[in-house]
Amino acid sequence: INIPGTNSTATSMLPARTLVFAGAFTATYPLLLVGSVARAIYLRATLGMPSNILSTGTYMGWSFGEKHLADQHYVSQMLYSKPFNEALLRKALFSLCAEDGIKESEIELVFKDEVPQDWPKNAKGQITGSFAMHHFLPESVQPGGQ
């Protein structure tokens, strides 16, 4: 293998470095896993509901400069291939939002009658993991992106 910037020492030390990494990972991963599970159980037992544990949603003030926006915790889009009980979903959503102090008048739950498009594909015809938010329901987007 001729990789610019390498030398015989770097190439010969690769197996040893790989073994050291594998050993360190094997030793630390179980410890960190137990610690994180213990912390999750502790927080759930002492603080209660997830809305109390994650009081600022995904926008942590200490890392993003207090950019927390009310009612904008977990933006999502759900697409279903079959109809479902809309009244039951609406009731469950309102109940969940009430736990976080969000009023029903501030909740937008829209049911589109549009048939979703298939997964997006790249130029080679392969399914890609990234796509525009309105890809599945393009008719739902107003002109100008609203």
Side-chain angles (χ1 to χ4, degrees):
I1 298 176
N2 185 13
I3 301 173
T6 62
N7 57 39
S8 59
T9 305
T11 304
S12 64
M13 289 300 294
L14 181 61
R17 292 188 343 233
T18 303
L19 287 174
V20 168
F21 171 78
F25 182 82
T26 303
T28 57
Y29 181 77
L31 295 173
L32 294 174
L33 182 64
V34 168
S36 64
V37 169
R39 181 177 185 271
I41 292 171
Y42 170 77
L43 288 173
R44 180 66 178 188
T46 58
L47 297 178
M49 303 302 277
S51 57
N52 294 334
I53 297 169
L54 299 172
S55 59
T56 60
T58 57
Y59 296 102
M60 299 296 193
W62 52 267
S63 61
F64 293 106
E66 298 296 337
K67 291 183 182 178
H68 174 65
L69 304 172
D71 307 335
Q72 298 295 316
H73 300 292
Y74 307 104
V75 178
S76 67
Q77 181 180 39
M78 297 181 280
L79 303 168
Y80 299 96
S81 59
K82 298 178 184 176
F84 56 94
N85 188 337
E86 294 177 9
L88 190 61
L89 177 64
R90 188 175 297 278
K91 180 181 175 188
L93 177 66
F94 288 164
S95 171
L96 181 67
C97 291
E99 175 188 312
D100 201 25
I102 302 170
K103 300 173 195 159
E104 285 189 22
S105 62
E106 298 173 335
I107 300 168
E108 181 181 5
L109 179 60
V110 179
F111 297 99
K112 299 291 183 182
D113 237 355
E114 197 174 335
V115 177
Q117 294 190 93
D118 200 8
W119 287 97
K121 297 184 179 177
N122 61 16
K124 296 180 182 178
Q126 301 165 327
I127 293 176
T128 173
S130 58
F131 50 88
M133 188 64 179
H134 66 279
H135 169 80
F136 294 104
L137 303 173
E139 295 173 17
S140 301
V141 177
Q142 304 292 327
Q146 299 296 324

